[in-house]
Amino acid sequence: MKYSVFFKLNILMLLVYFSVVIAFTLAFQADLIILSEVVNNLQRGVKTEVPKFGLLFNWFCDPGGKMLREIEEISVEKLTPDEILKLQKILGKINRNYIISSFGMYTLGVLIFFIVFLIIYRKTKKSIDKIRLAFEKLMNHEYGYTVTIEKDFEEFKEMMEAFNKASKAIENLNDMLLECLKEKNS
Amino acid sequence: MNLEILVVLVIIMGLSAVIVPQISNYLRKTKALTTVSEIRALILAIENFRIFEGENPKDTMELVERGYISKIPKDMKIDVSDGDPVILVFKDVDPNVIKVYFPSCTVENGIFKIPLKGSGS
């Protein structure tokens, strides 16, 4: 695979991932605004039905839907101070879960991006090191030295193939010159 | 086509399948929340009218003419035929969200009827 294609794909994946995360967090925020109004209504003694939230809200902000069920159970006309405190606690927990999941999703994106770039960096460095070593060998008169092509990026593969050809050509030229010198001396 | 590109395309398609309903869900909710804030602005204008004029507004335009609101939100009307003003909303919004903010609201043929009395605002 080409390094340039890999780089572009990584950027594209990152953009898609972060747009997904932003969409999720915005959707959660809308749900939280509605939920806090439900809690406000209950505290004022106004009976309110808890609307159905999205599947992802239930996954990330209210795992198992336990807290929403508790709010539904509290839906009575007059609330005791204990129940008001319980409502506040539930809202606080949901808000905390929202912050943790949003932070987790953003961190995961950054981590994946960092790991992929680390892989690219190591792969590129390995290829460059191989080519640098090959040039050093050539400078030390080891003509005909060839670089082993492995899972390198296409750009480096082309460079290594070109180097191998050049190294072979230099070796042939060197052999020819040596033979010429031998013939001249004899 | 490279295998890597294929894998990336599959991942992007999978993510899109998750994200598209989420975005439409989010847009539906924000539309409802916008409508809620418009209704609240209208309720506030009516209440101010009643305080300063001592009577209910005859129609929606009266609120604008007397400067209680700069403009009437789109697809909304005041109905004062029954004495107490009722706000009529002709928008296609999520009724569950509207009912959270206005528990006394009723929906008839897709029209939201929000009585000013006990609107919960």
Side-chain angles (χ1 to χ4, degrees):
Chain A
M1 190 184 208
K2 277 191 169 183
Y3 171 76
S4 51
V5 176
F6 196 88
F7 185 82
K8 280 174 199 164
L9 281 180
N10 193 26
I11 296 286
L12 183 72
M13 285 290 288
L14 187 84
L15 286 174
V16 172
Y17 180 82
F18 275 106
S19 35
V20 170
V21 172
I22 289 167
F24 284 177
T25 47
L26 287 176
F28 293 163
Q29 265 181 11
D31 286 339
L32 277 177
I33 292 169
I34 296 163
L35 189 69
S36 56
E37 186 63 23
V38 172
V39 172
N40 277 344
N41 281 354
L42 292 175
Q43 282 177 358
R44 284 184 299 172
V46 181
K47 205 171 182 179
T48 313
E49 215 175 285
V50 181
K52 278 189 180 170
F53 294 111
L55 191 70
L56 288 161
F57 180 85
N58 290 343
W59 280 355
F60 291 106
C61 298
D62 182 21
K66 197 181 156 193
M67 285 185 270
L68 284 181
R69 269 201 301 277
E70 275 182 39
I71 291 179
E72 272 171 3
E73 281 165 17
I74 291 172
S75 306
V76 288
E77 286 298 322
K78 283 210 168 181
L79 292 173
T80 60
D82 278 353
E83 280 172 330
I84 291 175
L85 196 70
K86 198 179 172 188
L87 270 178
Q88 293 290 349
K89 271 187 184 171
I90 291 171
L91 196 64
K93 266 186 198 171
I94 290 175
N95 268 312
R96 195 192 60 187
N97 286 350
Y98 161 72
I99 291 166
I100 291 171
S101 7
S102 311
F103 185 71
M105 283 194 280
Y106 281 113
T107 314
L108 190 70
V110 173
L111 260 176
I112 292 169
F113 192 65
F114 179 73
I115 289 166
V116 170
F117 265 90
L118 199 71
I119 293 167
I120 296 174
Y121 170 75
R122 288 190 65 176
K123 208 171 164 182
T124 312
K125 197 177 177 297
K126 204 178 159 190
S127 304
I128 290 172
D129 280 349
K130 272 201 290 190
I131 295 166
R132 205 186 60 193
L133 181 76
F135 272 106
E136 273 174 16
K137 293 263 186 193
L138 211 61
M139 279 156 72
N140 291 331
H141 311 290
E142 278 187 46
Y143 307 124
Y145 179 82
T146 51
V147 186
T148 44
I149 300 166
E150 287 161 316
K151 285 179 180 175
D152 299 282
F153 286 119
E154 288 294 329
E155 288 92 335
F156 291 110
K157 270 184 190 170
E158 283 166 17
M159 205 186 277
M160 284 167 191
E161 275 165 14
F163 176 86
N164 289 348
K165 278 179 191 169
S167 181
K168 278 276 174 203
I170 291 168
E171 191 190 19
N172 290 341
L173 191 72
N174 186 50
D175 289 347
M176 278 163 69
L177 279 172
L178 278 174
E179 268 182 36
C180 281
L181 279 171
K182 270 181 199 168
E183 275 174 24
K184 203 180 174 186
N185 288 340
S186 61
Chain B
M1 196 186 275
N2 278 341
L3 183 72
E4 289 92 342
I5 296 172
L6 210 68
V7 169
V8 169
L9 282 176
V10 168
I11 293 170
I12 290 174
M13 276 163 69
L15 285 173
S16 318
V18 180
I19 195 177
V20 169
Q22 275 301 308
I23 289 177
S24 65
N25 187 25
Y26 167 66
L27 291 175
R28 226 177 84 241
K29 275 175 185 157
T30 44
K31 195 181 168 190
L33 288 173
T34 312
T35 309
V36 166
S37 56
E38 284 173 350
I39 295 167
R40 278 183 166 174
L42 197 55
I43 289 172
L44 195 70
I46 297 167
E47 277 173 354
N48 280 340
F49 189 97
R50 287 162 92 177
I51 290 166
F52 292 107
E53 309 289 336
E55 56 176 358
N56 284 325
K58 287 184 191 80
D59 56 14
T60 325
M61 279 318 287
E62 202 178 359
L63 287 171
V64 182
E65 281 161 10
R66 297 211 186 173
Y68 286 94
I69 195 165
S70 57
K71 82 174 187 195
I72 296 295
K74 225 176 164 188
D75 304 323
M76 279 186 208
K77 230 173 99 179
I78 308 170
D79 180 24
V80 277
S81 54
D82 293 338
D84 247 359
V86 176
I87 296 170
L88 304 176
V89 183
F90 305 92
K91 275 186 185 175
D92 177 29
V93 286
D94 190 348
N96 292 327
V97 177
I98 302 291
K99 275 186 178 171
V100 167
Y101 286 86
F102 307 103
S104 52
C105 152
T106 52
V107 190
E108 279 173 35
N109 304 325
I111 303 165
F112 293 91
K113 287 186 178 179
I114 303 154
L116 210 62
K117 210 175 176 182
S119 60
S121 64

